[in-house]
Structures are given as structure tokens and as C-alpha cells.
Amino acid sequence: MSDSLALAADQLRELDRDRYAASLVIPAQYRAAVQSVFAFSAEIAAIRERVSEPVPGEIRLQWWVDAIEGEGHGAIASNPVADALFRTLERHELPSGPLLRLLAARRFDLYHDPMPDIGQFEGYAGETVSVLYQYAAMILAGGPVDQAADAAGHLGVAQALAGHVRAFGYNASRGQLFLPLALFAAHGVREADIYAGKDSEGLRAALAQAGELAQGHADKAAHAVAELDGSIKPAFASLALVRADIRALARQANQPFTARPAPSAFGRLWSVIWWALRNAR
């Protein structure tokens, strides 16, 4: 493994332990490539936490756009995540267009406009999360794999929904709403109530509905994964963690603004391994 691929794996482990755990069941010959894609995503998602206002975030996103489009920024090799990513794109002949769409979608993270509705959310999840599993499937398959589209699409939406229900209180404290505002409005919850940390039966019902939507997408993802060739299934090992998150959120529904305790790293890894033993064959 090249130094940049190893450093990208280290960065993934630091920024996104869940996807790092999921990557460990990828066959060894493909693991570093998948980790480089996951590390890129983690690096982009972390921009929101590293900047205090949109402009610096926009500049960082533009750096990546220019790098992918081959315009300027010749020091790409000095950025191990970028170097690892471009090595992977070249070696596995992966398209760069979806990465540009991911970067465009991540601009939403930098601002305080609420996510309008479920359709917009599903589009955002598709561009920022589902695409990762589509890439992973392509790496394992050695080329385009259209039959993995449903699995990737539903898994991405399920993971994004579960993740944002989990992070609801934290995001609300920052004046951000990633879950669909229309979902809350349907239960009589105003945007201002969310940012004020105002608990209510309507708010809990809206979060419960988001959890149910996540469960529905997770079920569809599981059905789609079951139809795939066994060699591709490891790309979707994150499904084990999504299911665990959905179960945990149901148990914590009476504390919508309370920070969730970090799950056990060993438990997460065991969930992924057990899922792979049962499914990836």
C-alpha cells in the first residue's frame, strides 16, 4: 500500500469510525481503494466542523472541485487523501462526475437554510452518501454495476436519516436542520421551536416518522443487497450499523435534544463482522 493510501485509511479511522469499521470487511485487495473514497467523503463532511462561516468552507470545497477538474492546485500529492483518491479513480477507472455532485451538495452544510422536504433530503443523501456505496460496489465488481443502484440508494438514505435523527439536538443547537422541515410542519412544529430546543409531542412524532422512513429504506436496502452477487455484498456492510442505529434511536425517542452516547467501537466492529459472515457469500 502506498503512503497516501495508508494515510487516507488513518484519516478515515479518525474522522469516520463507522465507515472505517465497515471497510474492514472489504477484501484486502480492494480495501485501500474503498477506504480512499470513504476518506474523501469524511474529509468533505468535516469541513462544516472546521470553519466558522461559509466563505472558508466554500474555498475548501472549491479546492477539491479544481483538483478533480485538473485546474491548478498542483500540490495534490502533498494531500494524502487527495492523492489516494486520484490513484483510486485512475486505477479503477471510476467516473469523477459523482464526486463533483457530492461537493456541490455539501454546500448545503455550510449554511443555515433548513432542508425543505423529503424529496430534497433524498436527493442530498443520494449525492453525499449513496454514491459512496455505488463506488465501493464498482471497485469490487471491477466496473459499472447497475444492479447495485437500489442497494446504494436506499442504504444512503437510511443512513442519512438515522444519522441526522441521532444528531438532531446537536444540529438544532447550531441553528441547522438537516431533516425535512415539512416533516415537522406536518406535526405542528415550527422551525423556531426546533432551534429553541422546545420539546413537544409533535416534535417526537416527527422524529419517530423520520425513524420509520429510515427503517423502510433500510429494509429495501437489505432486500436489494440480498439479490446481489456475493462478491459485491461487502460494499454494503454499513447496513449492519444503520440497523443498530435505528434500534437505538427508538429507545431514545423521549430525549430528542439529548446528546447520544458514542456507541462502543468494538460493538460496531463486531456488528459489521457478523453481518459480513451472514451475508457476504
Side-chain angles (χ1 to χ4, degrees):
M1 183 188 301
S2 72
D3 288 345
S4 62
L5 289 167
L7 290 170
D10 289 342
Q11 184 79 331
L12 174 63
R13 183 172 61 245
E14 178 183 344
L15 295 177
D16 191 339
R17 287 185 175 273
D18 276 357
R19 285 205 184 94
Y20 178 76
S23 75
L24 296 180
V25 301
I26 298 290
Q29 67 267 38
Y30 304 118
R31 188 178 304 142
V34 172
Q35 287 176 334
S36 72
V37 174
F38 287 179
F40 162 75
S41 171
E43 183 79 11
I44 300 307
I47 290 175
R48 169 175 169 260
E49 303 298 324
R50 293 172 173 170
V51 299
S52 57
E53 56 185 46
V55 172
E58 292 274 15
I59 291 171
R60 295 189 185 204
L61 290 175
Q62 189 60 47
W63 185 93
W64 281 98
V65 170
D66 291 347
I68 291 170
E69 293 182 339
E71 298 178 8
H73 301 294
I76 288 172
S78 66
N79 181 322
V81 173
D83 188 54
L85 176 68
F86 294 129
R87 285 172 182 266
T88 293
L89 294 180
E90 181 177 3
R91 178 181 177 185
H92 295 276
E93 299 181 347
L94 301 175
S96 60
L99 300 182
L100 294 173
R101 292 192 288 274
L102 182 153
L103 291 166
R106 281 293 184 187
R107 293 185 67 247
F108 176 86
D109 301 10
L110 305 177
Y111 297 90
H112 289 265
D113 299 322
M115 185 67 67
D117 53 46
I118 190 63
Q120 293 278 349
F121 182 91
E122 289 177 346
Y124 171 85
E127 302 286 11
T128 60
V129 186
S130 299
V131 63
L132 306 179
Y133 302 115
Q134 190 70 38
Y135 269 123
M138 291 175 68
I139 290 169
L140 268 61
V145 52
D146 292 342
Q147 62 267 37
D150 279 351
H154 288 298
L155 176 55
V157 176
Q159 189 167 43
L161 280 166
H164 283 300
V165 172
R166 179 182 176 84
F168 172 76
Y170 173 73
N171 287 328
S173 72
R174 293 165 55 103
Q176 289 186 296
L177 180 62
F178 285 83
L179 294 170
L181 179 59
L183 205 63
F184 294 91
H187 292 278
V189 179
R190 299 177 304 165
E191 184 181 352
D193 295 335
I194 295 170
Y195 302 146
K198 184 178 179 181
D199 194 1
S200 67
E201 289 300 319
L203 184 136
R204 295 186 186 190
L207 292 174
Q209 186 176 352
E212 290 167 2
L213 289 171
Q215 182 67 68
H217 281 286
D219 290 344
K220 291 176 182 177
H223 178 76
V225 169
E227 300 298 316
L228 296 175
D229 185 270
S231 64
I232 302 173
K233 289 180 180 180
F236 301 95
S238 290
L239 180 59
L241 304 180
V242 173
R243 287 196 175 283
D245 285 341
I246 292 170
R247 291 193 297 269
L249 291 171
R251 294 193 298 268
Q252 299 164 353
N254 61 339
Q255 297 177 311
F257 291 100
T258 300
R260 313 298 184 190
S264 160
F266 176 79
R268 302 294 267 182
L269 179 57
W270 175 245
S271 293
V272 168
I273 293 172
W274 180 242
W275 182 92
L277 289 172
R278 296 181 61 190
N279 294 275
R281 58 179 184 271

